[in-house]
Each structure stands twice: as C-alpha cells, then as structure tokens.
C-alpha cells in the first residue's frame, strides 16, 4: 500500500487546493493520505464527496509547539475533526499565529524591512500568517534573492524571525491530539538541529506525554538518517510514520512515499488500513 501521511495545502503554506492535492495523490497511486496543514484543519471543510472517491483520507494536522526552547512540529493523525476541545485549541493556535506575526514584523521592521506586516498579510490571503509569507514578501520587495536566503538570514532556526515563545508546550499539543482520538507523531525528528542526546530527551518527554509515533521518513531521507530513525523508532516502541511533506509541485518533493523506507518498523497506518 502506498501512503503519504504528511502534506500541505492552501489552507496553510501549500500551493495546491485540498481538491487538487487529493487528485494529485490519486494520480500518483497514493491509497492512504493525510493532509496535515500547519495548525489548521481548514482543508477538511467542505471537501466534495467525489474528491475523496478511491482514496482513504486520514484526518490530520501538523501542530507547532515548543520543548526546551526548540520549535517542534507534532503531527496529529486520525483525529476527530469535530472534537470540541480540539476546535477550541485550534482557534487559540490561530490567534497565537497572529500575535507571532506581529512580533516577527516588528523585529524585521527594526532591521529596516519596510511594510513587512502588510506585505505578509496580503500574501497570506486571509489565512493565518506563516514565516513563508514573510519570506515571500522579502523576496518580492527585493530584500533577499530567494526564500532560502530569507530563512537563512532572517526567519530560520535561531534567527531574529524565529519567534517561538507563543507556542504551547509539546505535552499540551500531544494531549489535544490524544483526547481527539488521534495518534501524536514527532514530525521530521532530524530537522531540529539537536544533538542526539537532546533528541533522546525530547523523545522521552514526548513518550511520557502520550506520544506514540515517529516520522522516520520525511521527504527523501538519506539512508544513514533513515537507519538512525528506524533504530530510535524500535527502541522507543513508537509506530513509524512516513510523509512527503509536500508543499507544492515546483520546489518540493512530490506526493507519495517510497514504501521500502519503512524497513522493519511497525507502521502507524495499520490503524486505518485493513
Ligand atoms: P511557520 O509554520 O510559520 O513557523 O513556518 C515554517 C514553514 O516555513 C515550514 O513548514 C516550511 O514550509 C517553510 N520553510 C522553512 N524553511 C524554509 C526554506 N528554507 N525555504 C522555504 N520555506 C521554508
Ligand atoms: Mn510548511
Ligand atoms: Mn514541519
Ligand atoms: Mn510539514
């Protein structure tokens, strides 16, 4: 079975509408798909029934949180989209994103980047503002030459625009997911610039909070990374997840996973396939 349990749409910072993303996934042979937009389940609203014909959809989300001063992403898979507490917390996440955008804008303005809040707001087209909107504006206004340069210089981990104080604790978002009937999965564990020892401490805390899954394959991982994450997955007794982290057809890896990446781990998608 071909799965993809980590994808983005125009409901957050992806380039395809939910309907177009699902069509692309089907065309590429994906049989089980989760749309995991940043801090929103907006993609699942008003999905036409015929769009999901011939593909199984696992309701999901990618939540922003912090652990020990690091901005961590936790996937919630198989969540009940109508659970009242989850809906309430996601509204708070939306407000936090708004507050964070104001702080990021103030910091960038101080560095001489003009009109940055208005620019990012315009590019966000009414959805919650993310760092990619700031990056796009800085490219458009000529402050940097590329999105990568914007993240390297201003928005990436440890840079002035990496404002994370607003996010909830990792243990809290794990609880929201679990209480909404979902399974919490650490997204892209190797992208946090942590030492191996710190990553293990984070996984200990994640497991203690009720987290059950590890994303062993995000995009196209190098073999050495894949082996390391499979090892951690088995050692901690986590269920393995895999996803492309697809954002758009031009600058990102395409939808669908290389299923051989699973190795001998226990797949989280066994929960939804039979
Ligand atoms: P946010 O969710 O607002 O914190 O923004 C984080 C998002 O920025 C990630 O999910 C990526 O989609 C995007 N991102 C991170 N680094 C880069 C980069 N170097 N170039 C383009 N987009 C990036
Ligand atoms: Mn993103
Ligand atoms: Mn992420
Ligand atoms: Mn993602």
């Amino acid at each position: 079975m071909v799965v993809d349990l980590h994808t983005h749409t125009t409901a957050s910072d992806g380039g395809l509408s939910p309907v177009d993303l699902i069509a692309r996934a089907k065309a590429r042979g994906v049989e089980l798909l989760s749309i995991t937009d940043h801090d929103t389940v907006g993609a699942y609203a008003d999905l036409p029934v015929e769009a999901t014909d011939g593909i199984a959809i696992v309701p999901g989300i990618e939540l922003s949180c912090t652990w020990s001063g690091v901005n961590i992403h936790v996937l919630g898979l198989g969540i009940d989209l109508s659970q009242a507490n989850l809906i309430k917390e996601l509204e708070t996440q939306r407000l936090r994103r708004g507050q964070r955008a104001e702080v990021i804008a103030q910091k960038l303005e101080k560095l001489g980047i003009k009109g940055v809040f208005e620019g990012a707001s315009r590019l966000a087209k009414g959805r919650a503002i993310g760092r990619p909107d700031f990056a796009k504006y800085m490219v458009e206004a000529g402050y940097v030459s590329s999105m990568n340069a914007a993240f390297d210089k201003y928005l990436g981990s440890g840079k002035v625009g990496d404002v994370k104080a607003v996010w909830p604790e990792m243990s809290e978002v794990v609880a929201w997911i679990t209480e909404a009937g979902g399974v919490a999965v650490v997204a892209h564990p190797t992208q946090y610039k942590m030492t191996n020892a710190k990553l293990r401490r984070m996984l200990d805390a994640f497991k203690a909070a009720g987290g059950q899954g590890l994303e062993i394959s995000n995009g196209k991982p190098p073999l050495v990374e894949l082996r390391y994450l499979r090892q951690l997955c088995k050692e901690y007794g986590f269920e393995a997840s895999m996803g492309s982290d697809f954002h758009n057809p031009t600058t990102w890896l395409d939808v669908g996973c290389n299923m051989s990446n699973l190795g001998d781990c226990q797949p989280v998608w066994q929960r939804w396939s039979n």
Side-chain angles (χ1 to χ4, degrees):
M1 159 174 267
V2 179
V3 310
D4 193 335
L5 297 177
H6 188 160
T7 61
H8 295 274
T9 72
T10 45
S12 68
D13 58 358
L16 298 186
S17 69
V19 168
D20 288 349
L21 171 79
I22 294 169
R24 194 176 185 96
K26 281 195 227 177
R28 291 181 53 81
V30 174
E31 297 160 273
L32 188 77
L33 173 76
S34 187
I35 300 174
T36 52
D37 276 307
H38 299 286
D39 304 300
T40 176
V41 293
Y44 294 96
D46 310 321
L47 262 186
V49 193
E50 59 278 14
T52 59
D53 271 355
I55 189 166
I57 307 282
V58 176
I61 192 161
E62 181 173 18
L63 288 166
S64 308
C65 60
T66 65
W67 175 79
S68 193
V70 187
N71 182 356
I72 306 283
H73 286 175
V74 174
L75 298 169
L77 300 176
I79 46 175
D80 174 358
L81 298 172
S82 64
Q83 202 246 2
N85 185 62
L86 181 67
I87 292 170
K88 182 188 83 177
E89 297 296 359
L90 293 187
E91 174 57 17
T92 313
Q93 274 311 72
R94 197 180 65 79
L95 298 173
R96 287 184 174 119
R97 238 174 213 283
Q99 289 160 4
R100 185 186 69 152
E102 285 174 26
V103 178
I104 294 175
Q106 281 162 14
K107 289 178 184 266
L108 293 176
E109 284 276 352
K110 273 198 189 134
L111 295 177
I113 299 164
K114 302 285 172 221
V116 67
F117 189 78
E118 293 70 22
S121 304
R122 170 171 51 78
L123 293 165
K125 296 189 187 120
R127 41 162 190 74
I129 302 175
R131 282 181 283 171
D133 300 310
F134 286 104
K136 248 182 234 159
Y137 172 74
M138 284 190 272
V139 174
E140 185 192 280
Y143 288 102
V144 288
S145 58
S146 67
M147 295 282 285
N148 262 335
F151 274 90
D152 284 350
K153 226 173 148 184
Y154 296 107
L155 295 160
S157 213
K159 303 295 171 188
V160 66
D162 176 29
V163 176
K164 58 210 163 216
V166 298
W167 297 124
E169 283 293 324
M170 178 173 71
S171 58
E172 292 179 55
V173 309
V174 170
W176 305 344
I177 293 166
T178 316
E179 283 162 25
V183 49
V185 174
V186 175
H188 43 66
T190 56
Q191 283 177 30
Y192 304 116
K193 298 182 178 163
M194 287 184 193
T195 60
N196 290 348
K198 189 164 182 183
L199 176 59
R200 281 173 179 277
R201 285 202 298 280
M202 191 265 273
L203 295 180
D204 290 335
F206 179 73
K207 190 163 176 149
Q212 294 173 283
L214 191 72
E215 190 176 52
I216 59 163
S217 174
N218 177 280
K220 198 166 176 275
L223 190 57
V224 50
E225 176 185 314
L226 194 55
R227 286 190 175 139
Y228 173 54
L229 292 178
R230 283 176 187 156
Q231 171 59 36
L232 284 177
C233 190
K234 287 183 282 186
E235 191 184 316
Y236 279 81
F238 286 139
E239 292 165 53
S241 191
M242 312 209 297
S244 60
D245 210 351
F246 176 84
H247 279 69
N248 62 65
T250 46
T251 61
W252 233 275
L253 195 78
D254 217 325
V255 190
C257 293
N258 175 355
M259 299 310 291
S260 69
N261 285 358
L262 177 65
D264 56 354
C265 293
Q266 160 89 14
V268 69
W269 56 89
Q270 232 166 37
R271 292 167 176 258
W272 309 292
S273 58
N274 38 42

